[in-house]
Structures are given as C-alpha cells and as structure tokens.
Amino acid sequence: MQPIHRIGLSSFSALLFLSTNMATTALAKPFTYVNARFSTVCTFPDQIFTGRMPEPENGDGLEWHSADGASVACYGSYNALDATPKSLVENEKASPDPGEKVTYSKTGKNWAVLSGTKGDNIFYERSVFGKEDVIHTVFIQYPAALKAKYDPLVGAIAASLHEASGPHWK
C-alpha cells in the first residue's frame, strides 16, 4: 500500500473540500484509502463509514459500511473489455442490475459517472480511466431516506478518486 504522505495536491484539495463540506456530519474525520494493487485512491469520512469489510483475495479494493445503511467502495480493475467512458455508461444503462434505475450519467475524456436508484437506495458511481489500462472506481450507496445527510458528501468523495503514483503511474 502506498503511504499517505505520497498523495498529491489534488488529494489535499479533495481532503480540504471534504472536511469543509460536512455541515451535516460535524467533525467527521477524512480518511484516505490507497489500494496497493491498482494505486486507486479515495477519501471519505471514516467516522461515518466505520465498518470495514474483509479485503477480497484479489486485493482490488475495499468497502466500508455505515451504521445507518450507507456504504462506500473504492477499487481498481483492469480494463479487460477495452471500455471507454462512453461505452461503460452505455453498457450499464443497457443492462442494469435488477431493481436498478440509472437517472443520471455523464462522461468526460477519461471518466464516467452514473447515478440512480436501486430499490430504496440511491447510488453514485464514478470511474476514472488511468494508466496501464486500469479503471479506478468509487461506488457510494445510501438509503434514499438519508439523502439530506449523504448528498453533500457524495461530490467530495467522488472528486477525491484518482490514481496515485505507484505501479500503474508513469
């Protein structure tokens, strides 16, 4: 795992934004996760997402849960299907998971965003296409009833997603 002190200015800016954008979760401490396998980085309030799930055997990322039913997952994957931001969004819209409805999507040169509902939950997924054919993703899900609490956090968490220096950085 990359040491946190190697995280660049963009992460510091995201951290600053995250810590100042938490009026509904006063004093929530930001935590920066760096995935060792794919160099995927994201920052989120670890006083909210306290339940760390076991690490998968393949080491692609981690997931944390909150006491009130929300979750955040940060992971990387190889772009084995040669997806583009546009094709990633098109494929997700064409074949959503059961009960899932994509209500928002947007793409850029090297990123894609999807958001919508799945049952009684809201989800937000941001993917960044990085070096060496790696896709970095953060996935946030929370109960729709807690929209006022989590909506202010989603933008900052998603904006913190990036590729760190490491094995996939050149």
Side-chain angles (χ1 to χ4, degrees):
M1 183 178 296
Q2 297 292 324
I4 292 176
H5 69 275
R6 293 191 60 184
I7 295 172
L9 183 58
S10 64
S11 288
F12 176 74
S13 298
L15 256 169
L16 183 61
F17 176 70
L18 185 62
S19 64
T20 58
N21 192 30
M22 296 186 186
T24 59
T25 57
L27 303 175
K29 185 176 78 173
F31 167 74
T32 298
Y33 166 70
V34 182
N35 174 265
R37 180 175 180 200
F38 290 109
S39 298
T40 303
V41 179
C42 68
T43 301
F44 58 90
D46 69 352
Q47 291 175 334
I48 294 172
F49 297 99
T50 57
R52 180 180 162 178
M53 300 290 89
E55 186 170 355
E57 285 185 33
N58 70 3
D60 64 351
L62 286 174
E63 181 176 354
W64 292 261
H65 291 199
S66 71
D68 58 11
S71 65
V72 60
C74 184
Y75 56 92
S77 61
Y78 289 113
N79 188 358
L81 300 176
D82 293 323
T84 64
K86 186 176 178 181
S87 71
L88 186 136
V89 166
E90 288 172 353
N91 289 339
E92 186 65 29
K93 285 176 145 182
S95 56
D97 289 341
E100 184 178 272
K101 180 180 179 184
V102 175
T103 58
Y104 174 82
S105 64
K106 190 166 183 167
T107 61
K109 181 181 175 185
N110 70 335
W111 57 270
V113 168
L114 290 158
S115 184
T117 58
K118 185 172 181 178
D120 293 335
N121 290 320
I122 295 172
F123 72 87
Y124 186 94
E125 179 178 353
R126 181 169 187 253
S127 296
V128 174
F129 289 67
K131 308 270 188 229
E132 296 186 23
D133 242 4
V134 172
I135 301 174
H136 307 278
T137 301
V138 65
F139 184 86
I140 306 155
Q141 184 168 285
Y142 52 94
L146 299 175
K147 181 176 174 44
K149 176 181 179 179
Y150 286 99
D151 274 3
L153 301 176
V154 168
I157 295 170
S160 76
L161 177 70
H162 67 281
E163 181 173 50
S165 59
H168 298 289
W169 187 265
K170 289 186 178 176

